[in-house]
Amino acid sequence: MFRYLPRAARSTAVGSASVRATARGRYFTSSAASSRQRTSLVLAAAAAAGIAITYKTFFIPSIKADEGTDKYPGTKQPSGQKLISFEEVQKHTKHDDCWVIIDGNVYDVTDFLEQHPGGAEIILANAGKDATKIFKPLHPPDALDTLAPSQHLGPVDPLSMPEPTEEEPTEEELRIEEARKKLPPVDSMLLVNDFEDWAEQILSGTAWNYYKSAADREITAAENQDAFRRYYFRPRMLRDATHGSLNTEFVGMQTALPIFISPAAMAKLGHPLGEVNLTKGAGKCGIVQGISINASCSLDEIMSAREQNQQVMFQIYLNKDRKASEALLKKVTELGASAVIFTVDAAWRSKRTRDVRAKAAVAPPPSSKDQSKSKAPLGVSQAISGYQDTNLTWNDLDFIRKNTNLPIIVKGIQSVEDAELCVQHGVQGIILSNHGGRQCDFAPAPIDLLYEMRINKPELFDKIDVMMDGGVRSGADVVKALALGAKAVGLGRSFLYANGTHGEDGVVRLCQILAEEITNTMRNIGANDISDLKPELVGPAGPWVYGNAPPWAGKSKA
Ligand code: HEM
Ligand SMILES: Cc1cc2nc3c(=O)[nH]c(=O)nc-3n(C[C@H](O)[C@H](O)[C@H](O)COP(=O)(O)O)c2cc1C
Ligand SMILES: *[C@@H]1O[C@H](CO)[C@@H](O)[C@H](O)[C@H]1NC(C)=O
Ligand SMILES: *[C@@H]1O[C@H](CO)[C@@H](O)[C@H](O)[C@H]1NC(C)=O
Ligand SMILES: *[C@@H]1O[C@H](CO)[C@@H](O)[C@H](O)[C@H]1NC(C)=O
Ligand SMILES: *[C@@H]1O[C@H](CO)[C@@H](O)[C@H](O)[C@H]1NC(C)=O
């Protein structure tokens, strides 16, 4: 039985909106990038994702050592490490001679300019400056590895850096600060969507648009939720349903609730350790988390944040470089994941409309004279999808099977035919999903697909564990899916929103809300345990007459 959990210590959620540098004593924070507007947008992005930002601070060496001699003027530390003065860095601002400072280190990006995925223009706008604040939220942690060692020039002399100025808060920062002040305590969140309502106010534009975003006109994203309105219960009375439990299992994993956290790439929007908040929350709730391999922290960090016996699933895409996928599968297997989720609905790109628009605001497309080279900004989601292979086939399942002995769950199944093919290929589970409406607009709502499968191919439910995600926004939604045959149900955005407003506490509270609603719904329709949830308890909305009646109408046992 799901226990109502003690609340974890109230934490950092409040007050992280203002992330201004404070120069005090011997520490200081690397200073601002040039464009106020862009800087603050990005800053706010990080702040809004709820992050207490720690731009890398560095220690000012107490001894000033001799001048260096070669290539550039600088000072030598006792260690022999040369320091480059800020004055020197400021000289390199041209297309054929361009340096930037990131996290206190100087980089020569002259030869990189034309290769930069974000365009040369935006780097040139920051040439000779400290670009840390604008760089950080837009890049994966390993982005700097794209530069050759010879392009890493060395640390800047911190004493030569200008005093960080107190920046005026931007409109967005103020908006977020105000919203944070008004944010109700986590206990007053009553519905799953309360988190979304507050997330819209509290997250930065960048983060909100990335999370909320869906493909094209967002028809499927809306339909995923709306479709649940087409199913109603047929509650049964006088069945004493007071003693049941919400414990269940899917694909061999035990869970305290019939829900899981759907994998979501964080796309550098939050703190690098962001995934850990979800992992800890999931641990406290006793539910399973699907972890995207595009999580922003290392798998080891996530794994060590788990409680004892806490189960996680790792979600992979197949890399163009299959050797990389092999290595990843090996690692995931060794680290002790309980299942591998293979996402098959995102091999091709899609237009995440809001995301692209938001990105255009942060990093306008270069106003290059050479129009052939200029390109529309990609949006966060496209920027992270480049390495995936686009030519996947059913044979690739055998590739995965060969490289792991973990149960395989195929995520992104959108037709009954493909569900059958999954059975034929011997996978253990499927997640009926359209990626939260983020890939193919006008893909069917997963709850409809589940109903279709129940009516047309009920035998599939005995051959494979069927899960679904997309549009689940209440305990009633969960119960409907379970009654139709789902073993468990995933939530994607709702967990991101809950974490975004209240961090780990929000994740736990979201579980509580769902646990309460699932329990109430089950008791009110006459179900004690998860195994009591049967198709007879649910069906199409409206009277079950003429063509609208499911096969079980009027036939369930009295
Ligand atoms: C100095 C060294 C830099 C390196 C090595 C670098 C590297 C990269 C890489 C590897 C990507 C692709 C990211 C991905 O796969 O998600 C990228 C994207 C991007 N970078 Fe940089 N970058 C640098 C500096 C900058 C600076 C200074 C800015 C802005 C002020 C910037 C703005 C962007 C933007 C906006 C994108 C996203 C492009 C898109 O989504 O269309 N970069 N960068
Ligand atoms: C911001 C975001 C990032 C996502 N990233 C991934 C991902 O990396 N891998 C994946 O399989 N699904 C990803 N998804 C899809 C979710 O796993 C899930 O299918 C979807 O969010 C469910 O719909 P819901 O948000 O309505 O609950 C992502 C979804 C969102 C909203
Ligand atoms: C969860 O919230 C924390 C704190 O607000 C943040 O640092 C982290 O990035 C968030 N994690 C995700 C996956 O969004
Ligand atoms: C996503 O994962 C792939 C494969 O591991 C990696 O090549 C890529 O850089 C990752 N992107 C981000 C943003 O972490
Ligand atoms: C798909 O492309 C990859 C390289 O990107 C290649 O190794 C693989 O053989 C291709 N698969 C098929 C089925 O063509
Ligand atoms: C998120 O996790 C980090 C790392 O464990 C922790 O320091 C931080 O307090 C958490 N934040 C929230 C809001 O839960």
Side-chain angles (χ1 to χ4, degrees):
M1 176 98 168
F2 187 83
R3 285 162 293 114
Y4 281 76
L5 298 153
R7 231 177 326 119
R10 261 315 144 56
S11 60
T12 62
V14 184
S16 61
S18 45
V19 192
R20 257 148 280 133
T22 42
R24 211 179 295 122
R26 291 138 65 220
Y27 296 91
F28 79 98
T29 314
S30 29
S31 74
S34 66
S35 154
R36 245 278 304 290
Q37 194 223 355
R38 261 187 271 132
T39 306
S40 49
L41 260 170
V42 166
L43 250 184
I51 318 148
I53 299 193
T54 49
Y55 284 116
K56 214 179 219 160
T57 53
F58 39 93
F59 188 62
I60 298 180
S62 47
I63 308 163
K64 263 225 147 190
D66 339 314
E67 294 288 306
T69 42
D70 43 13
K71 196 163 174 206
Y72 45 80
T75 49
K76 232 181 210 166
Q77 281 182 304
S79 64
Q81 170 77 281
K82 265 187 261 77
L83 296 174
I84 306 166
S85 76
F86 182 56
E87 200 191 346
E88 177 62 27
V89 176
Q90 284 175 298
K91 292 177 190 158
H92 304 264
T93 58
K94 292 187 211 64
H95 203 274
D96 57 355
D97 176 21
C98 179
W99 293 8
V100 290
I101 302 172
I102 291 161
D103 263 348
N105 286 300
V106 183
Y107 299 91
D108 182 345
V109 289
T110 313
D111 296 333
F112 175 71
L113 282 177
E114 289 305 326
Q115 297 157 31
H116 180 233
E121 208 90 339
I122 194 157
I123 298 190
L124 279 168
N126 290 278
K129 296 176 188 154
D130 186 339
T132 310
K133 283 189 187 174
I134 183 156
F135 177 87
K136 274 286 176 76
L138 291 167
H139 295 81
D142 58 356
L144 287 166
D145 300 345
T146 26
L147 298 177
S150 63
Q151 295 170 312
H152 293 234
L153 298 182
V156 68
D157 179 352
L159 287 177
S160 70
M161 295 290 287
E163 282 290 307
T165 46
E166 279 282 322
E167 283 177 73
E168 289 276 298
T170 62
E171 253 172 63
E172 179 161 74
E173 281 178 298
L174 290 173
R175 189 253 301 160
I176 290 168
E177 211 169 296
E178 279 310 299
R180 281 264 169 218
K181 273 188 217 145
K182 290 195 202 119
L183 177 68
V186 75
D187 298 341
S188 28
M189 300 286 137
L190 286 185
L191 295 173
V192 172
N193 274 346
D194 287 351
F195 289 108
E196 175 168 355
D197 293 343
W198 281 99
E200 181 169 11
Q201 307 193 42
I202 272 178
L203 294 181
S204 69
T206 315
W208 166 255
N209 286 305
Y210 172 63
Y211 293 159
K212 175 86 175 171
S213 206
D216 301 348
R217 293 163 60 205
E218 308 190 341
I219 305 287
T220 286
E223 176 74 354
N224 283 352
Q225 297 183 41
D226 293 348
F228 278 102
R229 297 181 177 228
R230 292 200 284 271
Y231 300 88
Y232 274 68
F233 295 112
R234 285 294 180 276
R236 299 300 304 268
M237 298 298 120
L238 303 177
R239 284 185 166 182
D240 181 9
T242 34
H243 306 292
S245 119
L246 302 187
N247 289 328
T248 185
E249 66 168 76
F250 63 102
V251 198
M253 293 171 281
Q254 304 296 321
T255 173
L257 287 173
I259 59 169
F260 59 90
I261 304 183
S262 285
M266 250 186 74
K268 326 142 220 170
L269 286 170
H271 189 271
L273 271 173
E275 222 74 24
V276 165
N277 299 94
L278 289 178
T279 308
K280 290 207 172 132
K284 288 197 179 139
C285 300
I287 62 170
V288 180
Q289 179 192 11
I291 296 164
S292 166
I293 54 161
N294 274 115
S296 24
C297 59
S298 80
L299 303 185
D300 309 76
E301 280 165 332
I302 297 174
M303 293 309 267
S304 53
R306 288 178 307 162
E307 304 200 341
Q308 234 184 348
N309 300 327
Q310 182 180 339
Q311 298 183 294
V312 299
M313 313 176 274
F314 271 111
Q315 175 261 318
I316 62 154
Y317 296 114
L318 278 192
N319 200 303
K320 279 179 194 137
D321 172 10
R322 288 302 147 85
K323 284 267 174 283
S325 296
E326 265 173 41
L328 186 71
L329 280 165
K330 185 156 175 270
K331 173 150 197 205
V332 159
T333 313
E334 282 168 3
L335 276 174
S338 300
V340 169
I341 298 177
F342 176 36
T343 298
V344 294
D345 60 3
W348 192 250
R349 67 181 72 98
S350 65
K351 179 171 62 196
R352 310 267 172 90
T353 317
R354 289 167 201 260
D355 191 21
V356 179
R357 291 205 166 115
K359 192 58 163 288
V362 181
S367 59
S368 173
K369 322 104 226 160
D370 182 359
Q371 283 303 311
S372 63
K373 271 189 194 158
S374 101
K375 47 172 189 165
L378 291 169
V380 180
S381 25
Q382 276 189 35
I384 63 175
S385 61
Y387 67 92
Q388 276 183 60
D389 217 338
T390 52
N391 65 358
L392 302 181
T393 71
W394 288 96
N395 295 331
D396 290 302
L397 279 175
D398 304 333
F399 168 84
I400 296 176
R401 176 77 301 150
K402 242 190 284 160
N403 287 287
T404 181
N405 51 18
L406 295 175
I408 297 171
I409 301 172
V410 177
K411 175 169 180 282
I413 293 301
Q414 301 173 59
S415 68
V416 177
E417 291 84 343
D418 280 352
E420 277 189 292
L421 281 169
C422 284
V423 173
Q424 283 167 29
H425 280 83
V427 304
Q428 283 67 34
I430 55 176
I431 303 178
L432 305 179
S433 172
N434 52 38
H435 220 96
R438 291 161 79 83
Q439 285 297 122
C440 172
D441 209 10
F442 289 98
I447 187 71
D448 278 347
L449 201 54
L450 192 66
Y451 183 69
E452 211 176 290
M453 196 184 284
R454 168 56 62 193
I455 300 290
N456 294 335
K457 293 273 171 185
E459 66 275 13
L460 285 179
F461 291 96
D462 302 322
K463 295 183 180 160
I464 198 166
D465 277 5
V466 178
M467 281 73 68
M468 65 143 287
D469 75 13
V472 176
R473 296 294 182 273
S474 69
D477 291 348
V478 176
V479 175
K480 289 175 193 175
L482 261 60
L484 289 173
K487 288 277 192 302
V489 162
L491 292 92
R493 293 182 182 84
S494 307
F495 276 108
L496 295 176
Y497 296 145
N499 176 69
T501 56
H502 296 84
E504 193 182 311
D505 292 354
V507 173
V508 173
R509 177 65 188 156
L510 176 57
C511 290
Q512 286 177 343
I513 291 171
L514 285 163
E516 183 189 13
E517 291 180 353
I518 294 169
T519 306
N520 289 346
T521 305
M522 283 175 57
R523 304 297 181 260
N524 281 320
I525 64 174
N528 250 312
D529 292 306
I530 299 292
S531 56
D532 297 333
L533 293 171
K534 294 279 185 333
E536 296 89 83
L537 293 168
V538 72
W544 286 359
V545 291
Y546 310 122
N548 194 44
W552 52 82
K555 291 187 196 133
S556 66
K557 82 175 160 32

